[in-house]
mmCIF file of all heavy atoms in Angstrom:
data_model
loop_
_atom_site.group_PDB
_atom_site.id
_atom_site.type_symbol
_atom_site.label_atom_id
_atom_site.label_comp_id
_atom_site.label_asym_id
_atom_site.label_seq_id
_atom_site.Cartn_x
_atom_site.Cartn_y
_atom_site.Cartn_z
ATOM 1 N N ALA A 52 130.695 181.973 96.329
ATOM 2 C CA ALA A 52 130.604 181.125 97.517
ATOM 3 C C ALA A 52 131.885 180.319 97.655
ATOM 4 O O ALA A 52 132.556 180.021 96.659
ATOM 5 C CB ALA A 52 129.404 180.181 97.424
ATOM 6 N N ALA A 53 132.188 179.939 98.892
ATOM 7 C CA ALA A 53 133.349 179.087 99.124
ATOM 8 C C ALA A 53 133.190 177.753 98.408
ATOM 9 O O ALA A 53 134.177 177.123 98.023
ATOM 10 C CB ALA A 53 133.527 178.869 100.626
ATOM 11 N N ALA A 54 131.943 177.337 98.211
ATOM 12 C CA ALA A 54 131.671 176.045 97.571
ATOM 13 C C ALA A 54 131.713 176.105 96.052
ATOM 14 O O ALA A 54 131.534 175.075 95.392
ATOM 15 C CB ALA A 54 130.307 175.531 98.022
ATOM 16 N N TYR A 55 131.954 177.285 95.480
ATOM 17 C CA TYR A 55 131.958 177.426 94.025
ATOM 18 C C TYR A 55 133.341 177.180 93.439
ATOM 19 O O TYR A 55 133.852 177.963 92.630
ATOM 20 C CB TYR A 55 131.491 178.823 93.619
ATOM 21 C CG TYR A 55 130.018 179.104 93.837
ATOM 22 C CD1 TYR A 55 129.515 180.391 93.628
ATOM 23 C CD2 TYR A 55 129.133 178.122 94.258
ATOM 24 C CE1 TYR A 55 128.162 180.673 93.831
ATOM 25 C CE2 TYR A 55 127.794 178.393 94.462
ATOM 26 C CZ TYR A 55 127.315 179.667 94.247
ATOM 27 O OH TYR A 55 125.986 179.949 94.450
ATOM 28 N N GLY A 56 133.978 176.092 93.829
ATOM 29 C CA GLY A 56 135.283 175.751 93.267
ATOM 30 C C GLY A 56 136.298 176.863 93.465
ATOM 31 O O GLY A 56 136.549 177.302 94.582
ATOM 32 N N THR A 57 136.885 177.346 92.353
ATOM 33 C CA THR A 57 137.916 178.386 92.426
ATOM 34 C C THR A 57 137.346 179.789 92.152
ATOM 35 O O THR A 57 138.100 180.722 91.888
ATOM 36 C CB THR A 57 139.032 178.099 91.404
ATOM 37 O OG1 THR A 57 138.456 178.030 90.085
ATOM 38 C CG2 THR A 57 139.739 176.797 91.718
ATOM 39 N N SER A 58 136.037 179.930 92.231
ATOM 40 C CA SER A 58 135.396 181.208 91.887
ATOM 41 C C SER A 58 135.968 182.388 92.673
ATOM 42 O O SER A 58 136.280 183.440 92.098
ATOM 43 C CB SER A 58 133.883 181.124 92.107
ATOM 44 O OG SER A 58 133.263 182.368 91.888
ATOM 45 N N GLU A 59 136.118 182.245 93.988
ATOM 46 C CA GLU A 59 136.631 183.357 94.791
ATOM 47 C C GLU A 59 138.043 183.731 94.368
ATOM 48 O O GLU A 59 138.372 184.924 94.251
ATOM 49 C CB GLU A 59 136.604 182.981 96.274
ATOM 50 C CG GLU A 59 135.203 182.865 96.860
ATOM 51 C CD GLU A 59 135.215 182.418 98.304
ATOM 52 O OE1 GLU A 59 136.097 181.603 98.680
ATOM 53 O OE2 GLU A 59 134.355 182.872 99.076
ATOM 54 N N GLU A 60 138.878 182.737 94.128
ATOM 55 C CA GLU A 60 140.256 183.003 93.703
ATOM 56 C C GLU A 60 140.284 183.711 92.351
ATOM 57 O O GLU A 60 141.057 184.659 92.146
ATOM 58 C CB GLU A 60 141.041 181.694 93.611
ATOM 59 C CG GLU A 60 141.192 180.971 94.925
ATOM 60 C CD GLU A 60 141.695 179.544 94.715
ATOM 61 O OE1 GLU A 60 142.858 179.388 94.308
ATOM 62 O OE2 GLU A 60 140.916 178.607 94.949
ATOM 63 N N VAL A 61 139.462 183.232 91.438
ATOM 64 C CA VAL A 61 139.404 183.838 90.101
ATOM 65 C C VAL A 61 138.968 185.295 90.198
ATOM 66 O O VAL A 61 139.545 186.177 89.553
ATOM 67 C CB VAL A 61 138.462 183.041 89.181
ATOM 68 C CG1 VAL A 61 138.212 183.795 87.876
ATOM 69 C CG2 VAL A 61 139.040 181.657 88.891
ATOM 70 N N LEU A 62 137.962 185.566 91.002
ATOM 71 C CA LEU A 62 137.512 186.948 91.187
ATOM 72 C C LEU A 62 138.619 187.800 91.780
ATOM 73 O O LEU A 62 138.819 188.954 91.370
ATOM 74 C CB LEU A 62 136.275 186.989 92.088
ATOM 75 C CG LEU A 62 134.981 186.441 91.492
ATOM 76 C CD1 LEU A 62 133.877 186.408 92.541
ATOM 77 C CD2 LEU A 62 134.534 187.275 90.295
ATOM 78 N N GLY A 63 139.357 187.244 92.733
ATOM 79 C CA GLY A 63 140.455 187.980 93.345
ATOM 80 C C GLY A 63 141.532 188.365 92.348
ATOM 81 O O GLY A 63 142.190 189.393 92.486
ATOM 82 N N ARG A 64 141.678 187.540 91.310
ATOM 83 C CA ARG A 64 142.707 187.810 90.292
ATOM 84 C C ARG A 64 142.196 188.661 89.139
ATOM 85 O O ARG A 64 143.000 189.293 88.438
ATOM 86 C CB ARG A 64 143.245 186.491 89.730
ATOM 87 C CG ARG A 64 144.069 185.667 90.684
ATOM 88 C CD ARG A 64 144.833 184.575 89.966
ATOM 89 N NE ARG A 64 143.962 183.558 89.379
ATOM 90 C CZ ARG A 64 143.626 182.409 89.966
ATOM 91 N NH1 ARG A 64 144.096 182.140 91.174
ATOM 92 N NH2 ARG A 64 142.849 181.538 89.355
ATOM 93 N N THR A 65 140.891 188.688 88.905
ATOM 94 C CA THR A 65 140.393 189.291 87.662
ATOM 95 C C THR A 65 139.609 190.590 87.834
ATOM 96 O O THR A 65 139.392 191.293 86.847
ATOM 97 C CB THR A 65 139.500 188.287 86.904
ATOM 98 O OG1 THR A 65 138.437 187.849 87.772
ATOM 99 C CG2 THR A 65 140.307 187.081 86.444
ATOM 100 N N ILE A 66 139.163 190.903 89.049
ATOM 101 C CA ILE A 66 138.435 192.164 89.234
ATOM 102 C C ILE A 66 139.409 193.325 89.145
ATOM 103 O O ILE A 66 140.397 193.372 89.888
ATOM 104 C CB ILE A 66 137.702 192.194 90.595
ATOM 105 C CG1 ILE A 66 136.631 191.114 90.646
ATOM 106 C CG2 ILE A 66 137.065 193.569 90.823
ATOM 107 C CD1 ILE A 66 135.913 191.012 91.991
#
Side-chain angles (χ1 to χ4, degrees):
Y55 289 174
T57 58
S58 175
E59 291 177 325
E60 297 167 68
V61 170
L62 290 174
R64 291 194 294 265
T65 56
I66 296 176

